[in-house]
Amino acid sequence: MKINLAKIKKAIKILNKNDCVGIPTETVYGLAGNAYSNLACKKIYKLKKRPKINPLIIHYYNYLNLEKDCYFNKSFYRLYKKFCPGPITFILNLKKDSKISKIATNGKNTVAVRFPKHPITRALLKKLRFPLAAPSANMSSKVSSVSASDVKDDFGKKIKYVLEGGKSSIGIESTIIDIRNKPKILRLGGLEISTIEKVLKKKIIIKNNSLNISSPGQLKLHYSPGIPIKLNVKKVNADEAYILIRKKKQTKSNYYFLSKRGNLKEAAKNLYSVLRKIKKSKYKSIAVTKIPNYGLGKTINDRLTRASKF
Ligand code: TXA
Ligand code: MG
């Protein structure tokens, strides 16, 4: 991908003034601001209408830049070497003298950090004197953005600039792992758990909220296209949009396909853009076919389950 320095400089100028910029990442687009600035972080929450108790992920160029702010351990190094930059977010302990805004971490003594792979955002991070706090660039509880035009659809002129970086290649958020003690997955994401387990050579506990049915408070609506979604549907009404995992020979106008042949990687990549497309259409509800519940299919099911709590 070609990197346009003038565009990067424009983004830097805005970020240096503690304002926000839309940035491309390989997972989803982020709404970025200076992670060391309370002002910039407050703006992010306000723009997204995000509850203050939900902390932000901090994006770094590499671990050398991270050393000032956090403690890390052997498991972190192992996963970092194997997967970073890439779709994995680590929960680490904050250093007392860390400069990360307390607004970004909601005053917690832990912080979520990530090293995005997208070349444009890497070029940006390399030139900045601070890391970027960047939640997904969508209104709180709604569908994430996987292109610059999605970000513009959601925020319009409320944000000064969006760096154009094409469609996100993974298309679903990073996998979040708490690596401080016994590794725990806190959010299923674009990196499969089995590949993480291979590197750490152990089984990892999944504490993904939406799978924790015993605490229904955690099953809050998220990733929502704003219309009802039904899951595991075999028969659909003509006035509903129908999401299928693979292309059918005989298609209908209300059918939307996540992939050509049922490939889960391709399906994950297309999930949010299909949900956004349906939202813009005439359909007032969505039915989804059964999605295989392994690998990235688990992540897709996690997002759809939360989106169905309408
Ligand atoms: O792929 C991604 O991770 C994207 C791109 C833009 O990097 N970002 C993203 O951010 O998905 P966001 O804010 O939409 O989701 C961040 C999640 C939230 O569920 C938040 O609760 C959790 O990370 N989080 C942040 N700090 C945390 C902490 N200290 N402990 C546990 N969870 C944390
Ligand atoms: Mg989000």
Side-chain angles (χ1 to χ4, degrees), residues 30 47 62-63 68 80 82 98 118 124 131 135 142 145 149 171 177 190 202 221 240 263 299 310:
L47 278 165
N62 62 22
Y63 81 92
K68 299 186 283 255
Y80 177 88
K82 188 81 187 168
S98 154
H118 196 291
L124 174 67
K142 296 290 194 291
S145 293
S149 68
I177 183 163
K202 59 174 123 177
L221 178 73
E240 290 178 308
N263 177 289
T299 307
F310 188 73

Side-chain angles (χ1 to χ4, degrees), residues 1-274:
M1 181 168 289
K2 245 184 109 182
I3 299 196
N4 181 325
L5 267 183
K7 290 183 176 172
I8 303 257
K9 277 188 184 153
K10 184 170 173 180
I12 292 176
K13 220 168 162 185
I14 298 169
L15 291 164
N16 279 340
K17 286 185 185 153
N18 294 324
D19 227 323
C20 302
V21 165
I23 58 163
T25 92
E26 73 282 14
T27 57
V28 298
Y29 273 64
L31 180 61
N34 177 354
Y36 291 160
S37 156
N38 286 337
L39 184 68
C41 293
K42 273 185 193 159
K43 277 187 195 162
I44 294 174
Y45 282 92
K46 198 169 165 206
L47 278 165
K48 269 187 68 102
K49 298 202 170 93
R50 182 184 180 104
K52 288 194 180 73
I53 52 160
N54 196 2
L56 309 178
I57 296 181
I58 315 299
H59 297 62
Y60 289 83
Y61 179 69
N62 62 22
Y63 81 92
L64 295 171
N65 302 56
L66 177 75
E67 246 160 358
K68 299 186 283 255
D69 294 320
C70 308
Y71 296 100
F72 25 88
N73 54 21
K74 266 193 196 146
S75 301
F76 167 82
Y77 272 122
R78 267 196 215 142
L79 296 177
Y80 177 88
K81 264 198 270 169
K82 188 81 187 168
F83 300 118
C84 295
I88 180 166
T89 293
F90 303 93
I91 305 298
L92 299 172
N93 282 318
L94 256 186
K95 287 192 173 163
K96 274 231 164 68
D97 55 354
S98 154
K99 286 203 281 184
I100 297 174
S101 158
K102 298 238 175 338
I103 306 284
T105 56
N106 184 36
K108 284 160 95 75
N109 53 13
T110 58
V111 62
V113 304
R114 164 162 142 68
F115 310 88
K117 192 173 187 164
H118 196 291
I120 292 179
T121 289
R122 275 185 64 72
L124 174 67
L125 285 168
K126 199 173 178 186
K127 285 187 183 297
L128 287 170
R129 281 173 285 111
F130 45 80
L132 290 173
S136 52
N138 53 274
M139 299 309 286
S140 185
S141 87
K142 296 290 194 291
V143 181
S144 306
S145 293
V146 288
S147 70
S149 68
D150 291 346
V151 183
K152 287 174 195 161
D153 278 353
D154 284 10
F155 296 99
K157 293 209 169 78
K158 285 190 197 139
I159 52 176
K160 291 213 170 91
Y161 191 50
V162 183
L163 269 172
E164 171 67 68
K167 189 170 174 184
S168 296
S169 58
I170 291 173
I172 213 148
E173 292 84 351
S174 59
T175 301
I176 301 183
I177 183 163
D178 185 343
I179 201 77
R180 293 170 303 149
N181 302 302
K182 220 174 176 185
K184 268 186 277 191
I185 300 290
L186 302 188
R187 176 177 74 184
L188 299 174
L191 186 64
E192 283 183 39
I193 296 164
S194 58
T195 61
I196 300 177
E197 287 178 331
K198 265 184 215 146
V199 175
L200 293 182
K201 296 193 181 81
K202 59 174 123 177
K203 269 257 167 245
I204 304 174
I205 314 159
I206 303 177
K207 259 194 84 189
N208 188 35
N209 300 346
S210 77
L211 298 179
N212 186 3
I213 312 292
S214 62
S215 51
Q218 304 275 41
L219 281 165
K220 280 183 314 218
L221 178 73
H222 213 132
Y223 313 105
S224 168
I227 54 177
I229 300 189
K230 283 185 295 181
L231 307 179
N232 303 323
V233 177
K234 282 191 186 140
K235 261 194 154 172
V236 69
N237 303 325
D239 60 350
E240 290 178 308
Y242 193 25
I243 298 182
L244 294 139
I245 181 85
R246 62 159 67 219
K247 202 162 181 159
K248 283 216 162 158
K249 276 203 184 108
Q250 280 180 331
T251 178
K252 293 185 181 165
S253 60
N254 61 329
Y255 284 12
Y256 292 81
F257 305 105
L258 293 179
S259 90
K260 279 199 192 103
R261 295 192 187 86
N263 177 289
L264 290 170
K265 241 185 177 172
E266 192 187 340
K269 178 177 174 171
N270 289 326
L271 178 68
Y272 292 144
S273 44
V274 164

